[in-house]
Amino acid sequence: MTLATSANSVDPLLQDIIGPTPGQQLRRRFFGHRGLMIGASVLGLLLVIAVLAPVVAPHDPYAQDLMARMKPPVFLGGTWENILGTDHLGRDYLSRLIYGARVSLLIGFVAALISGTIGTAMGVAAGYFGGRVDMVVTFLINVRLAMPVVLVALAVVAILGGSLQVVIGVLGLLLWDRFAVVMRASTLQVRGREYVAAAQAIGASTPRILLSEIMPNIMNNLIVVITLEMAHAILLEATLSFLGLGVQPPTPSWGLMVSEGKNMMLFEPWLVLIPGTVLFVVVLAINLMGDGLRDVTAPENRS
Amino acid sequence: MSQLDTPVLELRNVTKTYSVKQGLFGKPKPLTAVNDVSIKLARGEVLGLVGESGCGKSTLAKILLGLEAPSSGQVLVDGQALGGQDRLALARRIQPIFQDPYSSLNPRKNIYDIIALPLRVHSIGNEVSRQKSVREILDIVGLPARVMNSYPSQMSGGQRQRVAIARALIMKPEIVICDEPTSALDVSVQSQILNLLNELRQEFGLTYLFISHNLAVIEHLATRVAVMYLGRIVEEASVESLFDAARHPYSDALLKSVLTPEPGLGIPDTHLGMTYPNPIAPPDGCHFHPRCPSAMDLCKSQRPTPLFDAAGRIECHLFSP
Ligand SMILES: Nc1ncnc2c1ncn2[C@@H]1O[C@H](COP(=O)(O)OP(=O)(O)OP(=O)(O)O)[C@@H](O)[C@H]1O
Ligand code: SF4
Ligand SMILES: [Mg+2]
């Protein structure tokens, strides 16, 4: 081998350069980010509670007790029997809140999953293929952006009737616009990188390039949008339920709880404040997590 | 032997036109990035391609790699039109090395996955034999086997470029298109990479198309040089004759720029002013006439035709028959 002499001389600097892998760096930044940790903890706790609702909830959320209506929560002079009091039908407020978390999280996850799949497919296709495909997708995004989400959702639910499935379906089919916009822009950026050209020159198939070269490099943006849209869907469900066109009673839903409490708001404000606060905290936690994820993954993108 | 006479790679009258939109409602205008270019690469030679930024060098490289389809003209591999060749077969024969090793390696993959990708795409061997091949090629490009588990972000520019070279060579291609493979690197590393490329060429009998801004690099490595200006090859000659006596006024200006005290790292200062013409509206006649010190009246109106002679090719009215 004529080569062995000079080409094989290993770079002496190599030892010093080997540092943490991108995965290790990411983990370090992840655990070092306070907002992200707070958001993730709150959300994680809520998830556990929602999953374990039958075990955690002190009462049956549907059991009415008309003799014990609107008992105040403990901190307003109530008893430990109903820690957060009871509603206008005497149902345990804490238990309804816990079961309501199931509804909210389910809607958040599934709606974000549906809209994420639609929006990502459209955005990635538009960004990667450009030309006609891009024109069609951009047109669809503009059409979608011209539709007021709440009004369209209200109209559809009014026609089809409110149920968990309908609400999830409507939100899933309405909230893909941000996915499409962000994924299109990220794909456009990544597809210009030389490693994509290298993969093309190797002869890699288009699905392979999309899955192993493009997707891993736009994943961080996707995760951020997923969190934002989850929060969005949860709020919209609450809005629809509040207006009486979302999840139907007696299903426990936070929006429905606010709605049912609003008649008594002046006399028993906690009926509205408790579910309202929970909603606020959950959306805040999700947004904290989304912001944190963006912070944590951004420097990687640049390097 | 006709096999030896057929160029391994040939462009015949290749033109590539992009349509560029100016402003939001502007009408798309054609931009001719590569204009009626014909070149031949003989087996085992190194054809250097020089020219200013934006003259169409990378576009030419992409056409040769089959990444861009020419608007007109033909690309021939071993005398066969490119369109007729299967994409995978082409990939086995022609591989690129790109300019920016910070952009040419997927940051989410480790070095092993990056270098083994060609073998996977082409279903060559199994995981065990692939690992062996990757070890071998890493050794050849001068990297220790343990970098296989590293990520690109953990490596220096020179090391990354070695990885890119390993990926290009693992399928033992015949032709390597090097698009400014050293211009993004530190000067100290540049010569290491150039020497490596030179050794690899001898070792594996590779044919190179070597694109560079840097004439010193071309002189060091190439056997023949093509000078490109605004999408056209204006002069083509052997390295010796071009560096001894460049005939085209543009080649001459490029060469003089190398002899100035400050060695141009990036774009050489051509002493032609910064008036690089707008490629959307190239000047009439000879594209070079607004900057040419020897321009004549004829040059403003009439485009020179290429002249082929013993020394190569020249496209300038000074050398019209
Ligand atoms: N996809 C594209 N769409 C429109 N115009 C393009 C496209 N790619 C290249 N161009 C234009 O074609 C011309 C040639 O570009 P090219 O990248 O081939 O130049 P180059 O010689 O490689 O330059 P550099 O030395 O800066 O790399 C430029 O004017 C460029 O703006
Ligand atoms: S044709 Fe005229 S303008 Fe063009 S390079 Fe020759 S002398 Fe200069
Ligand atoms: Mg270029």
Side-chain angles (χ1 to χ4, degrees):
Chain A
M1 291 262 284
T2 50
L3 271 175
T5 42
S6 71
N8 265 7
S9 56
V10 167
D11 200 324
L13 289 173
L14 201 64
Q15 259 99 347
D16 317 330
I17 288 157
I18 299 281
T21 65
Q24 285 166 344
Q25 287 172 10
L26 193 67
R27 232 165 290 143
R28 209 171 293 167
R29 281 201 299 269
F30 190 93
F31 288 111
H33 194 287
R34 191 178 299 163
L36 179 53
M37 288 323 289
I38 294 174
S41 313
V42 171
L43 220 58
L45 186 70
L46 197 79
L47 193 65
V48 171
I49 291 177
V51 170
L52 296 180
V55 184
V56 190
H59 296 278
D60 179 351
Y62 297 103
Q64 304 182 3
D65 181 356
L66 294 179
M67 302 310 289
R69 294 163 58 209
M70 283 189 285
K71 279 168 64 183
V74 189
F75 49 84
L76 292 176
T79 61
W80 285 98
E81 171 64 15
N82 303 105
I83 301 175
L84 290 181
T86 59
D87 67 3
H88 64 292
L89 294 174
R91 295 174 296 197
D92 182 52
Y93 225 45
L94 177 62
S95 304
R96 288 189 68 73
L97 217 49
I98 290 175
Y99 275 86
R102 288 188 143 187
V103 172
S104 284
L105 289 185
L106 185 72
I107 287 178
F109 276 126
V110 181
L113 189 75
I114 297 173
S115 53
T117 310
I118 300 172
T120 304
M122 286 172 66
V124 169
Y128 189 78
F129 297 107
R132 289 264 161 76
V133 182
D134 191 23
M135 265 165 55
V136 170
V137 169
T138 310
F139 175 73
L140 289 175
I141 292 174
N142 286 330
V143 169
R144 160 59 200 82
L145 287 175
M147 303 195 299
V149 177
V150 177
L151 285 187
V152 173
L154 278 176
V156 174
V157 175
I159 294 166
L160 296 181
S163 73
L164 197 57
Q165 287 91 324
V166 170
V167 171
I168 290 179
V170 167
L171 293 182
L173 293 178
L174 274 177
L175 298 183
W176 51 263
D177 53 303
R178 200 182 325 204
F179 285 101
V181 170
V182 174
M183 289 298 96
R184 176 179 172 274
S186 321
T187 306
L188 218 51
Q189 194 186 21
V190 169
R191 81 146 297 173
R193 305 260 165 84
E194 284 172 350
Y195 53 80
V196 176
Q200 287 169 340
I202 283 164
S205 63
T206 305
R208 182 174 207 131
I209 291 174
L210 290 178
L211 286 179
S212 71
E213 310 291 326
I214 305 271
M215 280 309 284
N217 287 290
I218 58 175
M219 212 37 148
N220 45 6
N221 292 338
L222 179 59
I223 290 171
V224 173
V225 181
I226 288 177
T227 59
L228 293 177
E229 289 307 310
M230 258 176 67
H232 197 177
I234 289 175
L235 280 179
L236 279 172
E237 180 271 328
T239 309
L240 290 177
S241 299
F242 177 81
L243 293 173
L245 283 166
V247 178
Q248 294 302 302
T251 316
S253 140
W254 297 341
L256 214 49
M257 289 170 78
V258 174
S259 171
E260 288 165 353
K262 73 175 186 293
N263 299 328
M264 308 300 292
M265 197 161 74
L266 292 179
F267 311 103
E268 307 285 358
W270 55 269
L271 279 175
V272 169
L273 283 179
I274 291 175
T277 308
V278 172
L279 200 56
F280 170 74
V281 169
V282 169
V283 170
L284 186 70
I286 295 179
N287 282 334
L288 270 179
M289 202 168 92
D291 272 359
L293 285 173
R294 182 168 44 203
D295 289 350
V296 161
T297 52
E300 182 120 73
N301 223 7
R302 258 179 264 128
S303 73
Chain B
M1 290 282 247
S2 70
Q3 240 259 298
L4 286 177
D5 299 339
T6 352
V8 271
L9 195 55
E10 182 179 358
L11 287 185
R12 263 189 215 160
N13 306 103
V14 165
T15 297
K16 175 76 194 179
T17 311
Y18 292 110
S19 76
V20 192
K21 235 192 207 156
Q22 289 178 315
L24 190 56
F25 299 105
K27 225 177 111 198
K29 291 204 174 121
L31 183 159
T32 307
V34 173
N35 187 352
D36 196 13
V37 165
S38 304
I39 48 171
K40 292 177 181 170
L41 257 96
R43 198 174 298 277
E45 80 166 336
V46 180
L47 175 63
L49 185 64
V50 283
E52 275 164 301
S53 182
C55 71
K57 305 183 295 296
S58 297
T59 307
L60 195 67
K62 283 189 194 136
I63 292 171
L64 287 171
L65 287 162
L67 298 181
E68 295 266 12
S71 310
S72 68
Q74 270 188 312
V75 185
L76 299 121
V77 181
D78 275 340
Q80 281 190 311
L82 192 66
Q85 294 223 356
D86 157 34
R87 199 170 155 208
L88 286 176
L90 183 74
R92 286 194 192 211
R93 310 192 57 183
I94 309 180
Q95 277 297 304
I97 297 171
F98 291 113
Q99 169 174 12
D100 182 5
Y102 291 90
S103 153
S104 67
L105 308 179
N106 185 342
R108 303 279 160 174
K109 286 185 169 181
N110 68 21
I111 302 304
Y112 174 70
D113 285 334
I114 289 173
I115 299 180
L117 180 67
L119 301 178
R120 293 210 175 109
V121 167
H122 292 256
S123 316
I124 299 172
N126 53 27
E127 220 36 56
V128 178
S129 74
R130 282 177 206 151
Q131 212 163 80
K132 190 163 156 279
S133 310
V134 172
R135 266 172 211 282
E136 278 170 14
I137 199 83
L138 278 173
D139 191 48
I140 289 171
V141 300
L143 288 171
R146 65 193 156 80
V147 301
M148 287 203 300
N149 298 319
S150 314
Y151 284 83
S153 62
Q154 298 170 288
M155 305 180 102
S156 70
Q159 291 162 349
R160 286 169 180 234
Q161 200 57 300
R162 286 174 197 257
V163 172
I165 294 172
R167 172 180 58 193
L169 294 187
I170 195 159
M171 286 197 298
K172 308 269 184 295
E174 299 154 54
I175 306 161
V176 180
I177 312 280
C178 308
D179 190 352
E180 310 194 40
T182 57
S183 59
L185 303 175
D186 286 348
V187 192
S188 56
V189 185
Q190 285 189 1
S191 61
Q192 289 177 18
I193 297 294
L194 289 174
N195 286 335
L196 175 64
L197 285 172
N198 209 3
E199 283 160 8
L200 291 171
R201 186 180 70 81
Q202 289 162 9
E203 176 87 6
F204 297 111
L206 300 170
T207 306
Y208 283 169
L209 176 77
F210 201 96
I211 298 174
S212 183
H213 280 120
N214 191 334
L215 277 172
V217 168
I218 296 282
E219 184 176 19
H220 179 68
L221 222 69
T223 48
R224 224 152 40 89
V225 192
V227 180
M228 199 165 178
Y229 188 78
L230 217 67
R232 296 185 69 84
I233 307 279
V234 292
E235 180 169 6
E236 194 185 321
S238 71
V239 176
E240 296 79 25
S241 60
L242 190 102
F243 280 79
D244 276 352
R247 296 194 284 173
H248 197 282
Y250 179 61
S251 318
D252 199 42
L254 281 180
L255 274 175
K256 286 206 177 98
S257 72
V258 183
L259 303 175
T260 54
E262 23 165 10
L265 259 185
I267 310 153
D269 181 4
T270 50
H271 299 286
L272 294 169
M274 292 311 287
T275 50
Y276 188 72
N278 179 359
I280 295 179
D284 287 338
C286 171
H287 288 344
F288 186 56
H289 85 256
R291 302 165 80 189
C292 178
S294 334
M296 310 166 278
D297 280 345
L298 177 65
C299 306
K300 290 178 188 144
S301 54
Q302 202 178 329
R303 175 185 286 190
T305 47
L307 169 80
F308 296 88
D309 59 13
R313 173 219 317 232
I314 174 88
E315 192 175 286
C316 170
H317 284 307
L318 294 175
F319 298 88
S320 291

Short mmCIF file of all heavy atoms in Angstrom, two decimals, chain B residues 147-166:
data_model
loop_
_atom_site.label_atom_id
_atom_site.label_comp_id
_atom_site.label_asym_id
_atom_site.label_seq_id
_atom_site.Cartn_x
_atom_site.Cartn_y
_atom_site.Cartn_z
N VAL B 147 -13.81 6.26 15.54
CA VAL B 147 -14.70 7.39 15.22
C VAL B 147 -16.06 6.90 14.72
O VAL B 147 -16.99 7.68 14.61
CB VAL B 147 -14.12 8.36 14.16
CG1 VAL B 147 -12.82 8.95 14.62
CG2 VAL B 147 -13.99 7.69 12.82
N MET B 148 -16.17 5.60 14.46
CA MET B 148 -17.44 5.08 13.94
C MET B 148 -18.63 5.45 14.81
O MET B 148 -19.73 5.66 14.32
CB MET B 148 -17.37 3.56 13.83
CG MET B 148 -16.52 3.10 12.68
SD MET B 148 -16.91 1.45 12.11
CE MET B 148 -16.62 0.49 13.55
N ASN B 149 -18.41 5.52 16.11
CA ASN B 149 -19.53 5.83 17.01
C ASN B 149 -19.66 7.31 17.30
O ASN B 149 -20.54 7.71 18.06
CB ASN B 149 -19.36 5.07 18.33
CG ASN B 149 -19.38 3.58 18.11
OD1 ASN B 149 -20.18 3.09 17.32
ND2 ASN B 149 -18.48 2.88 18.77
N SER B 150 -18.80 8.14 16.71
CA SER B 150 -18.90 9.57 16.97
C SER B 150 -19.94 10.20 16.06
O SER B 150 -20.40 9.59 15.10
CB SER B 150 -17.56 10.25 16.71
OG SER B 150 -16.53 9.54 17.27
N TYR B 151 -20.26 11.43 16.38
CA TYR B 151 -21.17 12.20 15.54
C TYR B 151 -20.39 13.33 14.88
O TYR B 151 -19.36 13.76 15.39
CB TYR B 151 -22.30 12.77 16.40
CG TYR B 151 -23.31 11.71 16.77
CD1 TYR B 151 -23.09 10.87 17.84
CD2 TYR B 151 -24.45 11.53 15.99
CE1 TYR B 151 -23.99 9.88 18.16
CE2 TYR B 151 -25.35 10.54 16.30
CZ TYR B 151 -25.13 9.71 17.38
OH TYR B 151 -26.02 8.73 17.68
N PRO B 152 -20.90 13.82 13.74
CA PRO B 152 -20.17 14.87 13.03
C PRO B 152 -19.83 16.07 13.91
O PRO B 152 -18.76 16.66 13.77
CB PRO B 152 -21.13 15.27 11.92
CG PRO B 152 -21.95 14.06 11.66
CD PRO B 152 -22.07 13.36 12.99
N SER B 153 -20.74 16.43 14.84
CA SER B 153 -20.48 17.62 15.66
C SER B 153 -19.26 17.45 16.56
O SER B 153 -18.77 18.41 17.12
CB SER B 153 -21.71 17.94 16.51
OG SER B 153 -21.99 16.87 17.38
N GLN B 154 -18.79 16.22 16.70
CA GLN B 154 -17.64 15.98 17.57
C GLN B 154 -16.33 16.05 16.80
O GLN B 154 -15.28 15.82 17.36
CB GLN B 154 -17.76 14.61 18.23
CG GLN B 154 -18.98 14.48 19.13
CD GLN B 154 -19.19 13.04 19.56
OE1 GLN B 154 -19.59 12.21 18.78
NE2 GLN B 154 -18.89 12.76 20.80
N MET B 155 -16.41 16.32 15.51
CA MET B 155 -15.19 16.26 14.70
C MET B 155 -14.85 17.62 14.11
O MET B 155 -15.69 18.49 13.97
CB MET B 155 -15.39 15.26 13.56
CG MET B 155 -15.80 13.90 14.06
SD MET B 155 -16.01 12.77 12.70
CE MET B 155 -14.50 11.87 12.82
N SER B 156 -13.58 17.75 13.73
CA SER B 156 -13.13 18.99 13.09
C SER B 156 -13.46 18.95 11.61
O SER B 156 -13.83 17.91 11.07
CB SER B 156 -11.63 19.13 13.27
OG SER B 156 -10.97 18.15 12.49
N GLY B 157 -13.31 20.10 10.97
CA GLY B 157 -13.63 20.19 9.55
C GLY B 157 -12.85 19.20 8.70
O GLY B 157 -13.39 18.54 7.82
N GLY B 158 -11.57 19.07 8.98
CA GLY B 158 -10.73 18.16 8.21
C GLY B 158 -11.16 16.72 8.39
O GLY B 158 -11.21 15.94 7.43
N GLN B 159 -11.49 16.37 9.63
CA GLN B 159 -11.94 15.00 9.89
C GLN B 159 -13.27 14.72 9.21
O GLN B 159 -13.49 13.65 8.64
CB GLN B 159 -12.09 14.79 11.40
CG GLN B 159 -10.75 14.78 12.10
CD GLN B 159 -10.91 15.02 13.58
OE1 GLN B 159 -11.97 15.39 14.06
NE2 GLN B 159 -9.83 14.81 14.31
N ARG B 160 -14.15 15.72 9.24
CA ARG B 160 -15.43 15.54 8.57
C ARG B 160 -15.23 15.34 7.08
O ARG B 160 -15.91 14.52 6.46
CB ARG B 160 -16.30 16.78 8.76
CG ARG B 160 -16.86 16.93 10.13
CD ARG B 160 -17.43 18.32 10.20
NE ARG B 160 -18.00 18.56 11.50
CZ ARG B 160 -19.24 18.98 11.68
NH1 ARG B 160 -20.02 19.22 10.66
NH2 ARG B 160 -19.70 19.18 12.88
N GLN B 161 -14.29 16.11 6.51
CA GLN B 161 -14.09 15.96 5.08
C GLN B 161 -13.54 14.57 4.78
O GLN B 161 -13.86 13.98 3.76
CB GLN B 161 -13.16 17.08 4.57
CG GLN B 161 -13.24 17.33 3.07
CD GLN B 161 -14.63 17.67 2.56
OE1 GLN B 161 -15.57 16.90 2.70
NE2 GLN B 161 -14.78 18.84 1.96
N ARG B 162 -12.73 14.03 5.68
CA ARG B 162 -12.26 12.65 5.49
C ARG B 162 -13.43 11.67 5.52
O ARG B 162 -13.46 10.69 4.77
CB ARG B 162 -11.24 12.28 6.57
CG ARG B 162 -9.87 12.93 6.36
CD ARG B 162 -8.94 12.65 7.53
NE ARG B 162 -7.82 13.57 7.53
CZ ARG B 162 -6.60 13.25 7.11
NH1 ARG B 162 -6.33 12.04 6.71
NH2 ARG B 162 -5.64 14.15 7.11
N VAL B 163 -14.37 11.94 6.41
CA VAL B 163 -15.57 11.09 6.46
C VAL B 163 -16.33 11.17 5.13
O VAL B 163 -16.75 10.16 4.57
CB VAL B 163 -16.49 11.49 7.63
CG1 VAL B 163 -17.81 10.74 7.56
CG2 VAL B 163 -15.80 11.23 8.96
N ALA B 164 -16.46 12.41 4.62
CA ALA B 164 -17.18 12.59 3.36
C ALA B 164 -16.45 11.85 2.23
O ALA B 164 -17.08 11.26 1.34
CB ALA B 164 -17.30 14.08 3.04
N ILE B 165 -15.12 11.88 2.28
CA ILE B 165 -14.35 11.17 1.26
C ILE B 165 -14.57 9.66 1.39
O ILE B 165 -14.77 8.94 0.40
CB ILE B 165 -12.85 11.53 1.38
CG1 ILE B 165 -12.65 13.01 1.03
CG2 ILE B 165 -12.01 10.65 0.46
CD1 ILE B 165 -11.25 13.53 1.29
N ALA B 166 -14.57 9.19 2.64
CA ALA B 166 -14.80 7.76 2.87
C ALA B 166 -16.15 7.33 2.32
O ALA B 166 -16.28 6.29 1.68
CB ALA B 166 -14.71 7.45 4.37
#
